[in-house]
Amino acid sequence: MADRYDDCTAVTELCVVEATTYGYRPDLGANIFFLVIFGVLGGIQLLQGFRWRTWTFVIAMALGCLTEVVGYIGRMLMNDNPWSSVGFNMQICCIIIAPAFYSAAIYLTLKHIVLTLGSQYSLLKPQWYTWIFIACDLLSLILQGAGGGIAASASSTSTQDIGSNLMLTGIVWQVVTLLVFAILAGDFILRVYRNRSNLTHSASEVLRNTKFMLFLGGLLLAYLGIEIRCTYRIAELAGGWGNDIMQNEVEFIILEGVMIVIAVMAVTAFHPGFCFPQMSQAKRVGSNGIVGEKDVSDRDSPDAAVRV
């Protein structure tokens, strides 16, 4: 942003919309739509989480939806005043980091898929997936959040560029993490498929279950939506503030808003609580290694296991 616009706080003859970072007045209708859809999806996720007790999954998804809502409120403020620093700060911080929460939710599922279908076919121990990928996702979240905060509060172009570079680094790290996750998940699925005749009866039943296949399809669709969005964001931030990509609202609506709506809708429609109950608190792999059984104390049963 040129120095002569540094003191602009509202649209005037001198402080024109075209001179703002985005170069346009964010469309009110589109932002209301995204605010409502993420609010509704977040509410549904909370209900599903309490219904099926998928606590960690629902926390990640709900935080993502809440962050999106705050971000789109910021863009609505910018519709009223494209020079609004409050609106800009809200949207640049929140919309940037929200998909990291959805990525975390996706990462949480692989451990349970591996435990259900057979950990012997996995390159890593099931619990490692959670620790490794959530740690990587947390780093991505910190980088993007810190970058957004610096960019939002910057008083100079050089400081704003530092924030932009941090956000860019966080998103690139997120993409790399997602790619590694996809490779490991794909390797596991391929090994399971090649050994499908050797699977346990319970694992074979899960693979033949239509709801489980829809769950996997939902995860794949969500993954692709997030990857497309991140690729767009990398191109947007790499060009610097006020570049042609950043000032194209249609591309933002499609490649940011719509892609993330598709991702969230996919894992909401094919929620693990309904399609993959082994992931819920009511279905766990007990110490006896049987999917769908819980351990109980010796005083309750000499076999120390009951089906739930």
Side-chain angles (χ1 to χ4, degrees), residues 1-291:
M1 191 180 303
D3 291 341
R4 66 192 177 109
Y5 296 113
D6 286 349
D7 295 327
C8 290
T9 58
V11 176
T12 65
E13 291 184 359
L14 296 178
C15 299
V16 295
V17 173
E18 291 75 15
T20 62
T21 299
Y22 292 129
Y24 60 81
R25 190 185 296 270
D27 184 78
L28 184 61
N31 289 297
I32 290 176
F33 168 79
F34 287 124
L35 185 152
V36 171
I37 198 70
F38 282 117
V40 170
L41 289 172
I44 294 173
Q45 281 288 338
L46 285 172
L47 292 174
Q48 291 174 322
F50 281 99
R51 168 65 178 82
W52 287 298
R53 295 189 290 172
T54 50
W55 304 126
T56 51
F57 187 86
V58 71
I59 289 172
M61 293 301 300
L63 283 175
C65 289
L66 176 61
T67 309
E68 298 277 10
V69 167
V70 175
Y72 283 102
I73 290 175
R75 288 184 69 84
M76 289 172 64
L77 293 177
M78 292 182 68
N79 169 267
D80 181 62
N81 177 17
W83 289 98
S84 170
S85 60
V86 173
F88 180 81
N89 295 349
M90 288 171 64
Q91 62 88 37
I92 195 65
C93 291
C94 294
I95 297 179
I96 280 288
I97 68 172
F101 291 111
Y102 308 136
S103 298
I106 293 175
Y107 298 149
L108 290 168
T109 65
L110 187 53
K111 166 190 170 182
H112 300 286
I113 293 173
V114 169
L115 286 171
T116 300
L117 299 181
S119 59
Q120 66 271 30
Y121 306 118
S122 173
L123 290 174
L124 300 178
K125 293 182 179 180
Q127 62 270 26
W128 287 9
Y129 289 109
T130 301
W131 289 109
I132 292 173
F133 287 103
I134 293 301
C136 290
D137 198 59
L138 182 60
L139 176 58
S140 170
L141 189 63
I142 291 171
L143 289 171
Q144 293 179 60
I150 292 172
S153 60
S155 58
S156 66
T157 302
S158 59
T159 304
Q160 197 173 42
D161 287 341
I162 292 173
S164 176
N165 290 335
L166 274 175
M167 286 190 290
L168 181 60
T169 301
I171 296 175
V172 170
W173 178 252
Q174 185 179 1
V175 168
V176 171
T177 303
L178 283 165
L179 287 174
V180 174
F181 176 84
I183 291 171
L184 292 174
D187 177 79
F188 172 74
I189 294 299
L190 182 61
R191 288 167 183 258
V192 168
Y193 178 77
R194 288 175 174 174
N195 292 276
R196 59 191 180 280
S197 61
N198 300 321
L199 298 177
T200 64
H201 175 72
S202 60
S204 297
E205 286 294 310
V206 170
L207 273 183
R208 286 194 292 267
N209 189 294
T210 302
K211 291 192 295 184
F212 177 71
M213 298 309 295
L214 288 173
F215 169 66
L216 292 183
L219 285 181
L220 178 60
L221 188 58
Y223 172 87
L224 292 174
I226 295 172
E227 278 283 33
I228 291 171
R229 176 267 179 186
C230 288
T231 302
Y232 157 72
R233 281 296 199 175
I234 290 172
E236 179 200 39
L237 291 172
W241 296 100
N243 66 76
D244 290 341
I245 297 176
M246 189 173 288
Q247 294 193 346
N248 189 319
E249 186 178 20
V250 174
E251 289 182 0
F252 173 86
I253 290 173
I254 295 173
L255 297 176
E256 169 68 48
V258 174
M259 288 299 105
I260 297 303
V261 166
I262 290 173
V264 178
M265 288 185 70
V267 293
T268 302
F270 306 117
H271 192 275
F274 175 69
C275 295
F276 184 45
Q278 288 82 356
M279 188 172 166
S280 74
Q281 291 290 340
K283 286 263 190 177
R284 281 289 185 262
V285 177
S287 61
N288 55 7
I290 301 177
V291 175

